Amino acid sequence: MAKLINGKEIAEQVKLETRDRAQALREKGIEVTLAVVQVGQDPASCVYVRNKKKACEVCGILSKSIELPEETTMDELMQVVRDLNEDPSVNGILVQLPLPAHLDESAVIRAIDPKKDVDGFHPESVGKLSLGLPGFESCTPAGVIQLLKRSGVVCEGKECVIVGRSNIVGKPMGMMMLRENATVTIAHSRTQNLKEVCRRADILIIAIGKARFITADYIKPGAVVIDCGINRDENGKLCGDTDFDQVSAVADAITPVPGGVGPMTVAMLMKNCVDSAEL
Ligand code: GUN
């Protein structure tokens, strides 16, 4: 039976460290403030935004909530972002995605001041990560790195297979695992022989958004399996991209869903806000 990598516990550690740093800033008269912009009321986004605000409270970070109606125009949203860019009391700006279909997500992300880009989605942040320069990093893959490091998983020289090539998780995950000196393969929906590719992995990281897609036959015995998926199964139960019961019988260590990668994403966002304020 695989060892459980407890994301909830490790996220608590990261949040406590962050809270101490926010406290130290407060003693110097600096309040760390995150602006959270939500357009419309997508139910999943409402849950995520609520979790982020709750984490802000735990960490002693002020959250400034900007809730806009579904019909908000591009001009209106861009003005909100520009105002937050100019607001010296705001350290971090987060525009919750997905945006309603009539809004241009990429243009909105580009409008965020890179110095306040705590999501790490701005092209400048992504470019810095690719070049190995310091900058804001996408929270989910950064959280995975912390999970691995704080669980004592050595990445150097290991075969790492990432399944999924999204801008938010798969691609930045590849860059971060390269930085950790892993040998990196990024597989995706068009990869041939996906099972065989996955079975090469010492560290398998999955971010595809398909409930329980990865079964035991994708796993090399003794592998470390990191599941970035958050899905609902046919009964409405929260589950990851891996079949946890099957995979945990073959793997050496595995993250659960819930309680694995999810809490780390929020914790790393808090860390990025304090990083921003310190800079
Ligand atoms: N939607 C799903 N995940 C994220 C995230 O990490 N940041 C933002 N802004 N939106 C999201």
Side-chain angles (χ1 to χ4, degrees), residues 48 52 94-98 119 121 139-140 168 265:
Y48 294 144
K52 290 168 186 177
L94 180 149
V95 178
Q96 184 65 29
L97 305 179
D119 253 334
F121 295 168
C139 299
T140 299
I168 294 182
T265 298

Side-chain angles (χ1 to χ4, degrees), residues 237-251:
K237 190 171 172 248
L238 217 53
C239 69
D241 293 343
T242 58
D243 186 317
F244 182 86
D245 292 340
Q246 279 195 24
V247 170
S248 58
V250 184

Side-chain angles (χ1 to χ4, degrees), residues 206-228:
I206 309 119
I208 51 177
K210 288 187 185 164
R212 300 197 183 99
F213 180 86
I214 300 288
T215 45
D217 44 343
Y218 286 76
I219 310 297
K220 170 155 102 176
V224 173
V225 178
I226 306 290
D227 187 344
C228 303

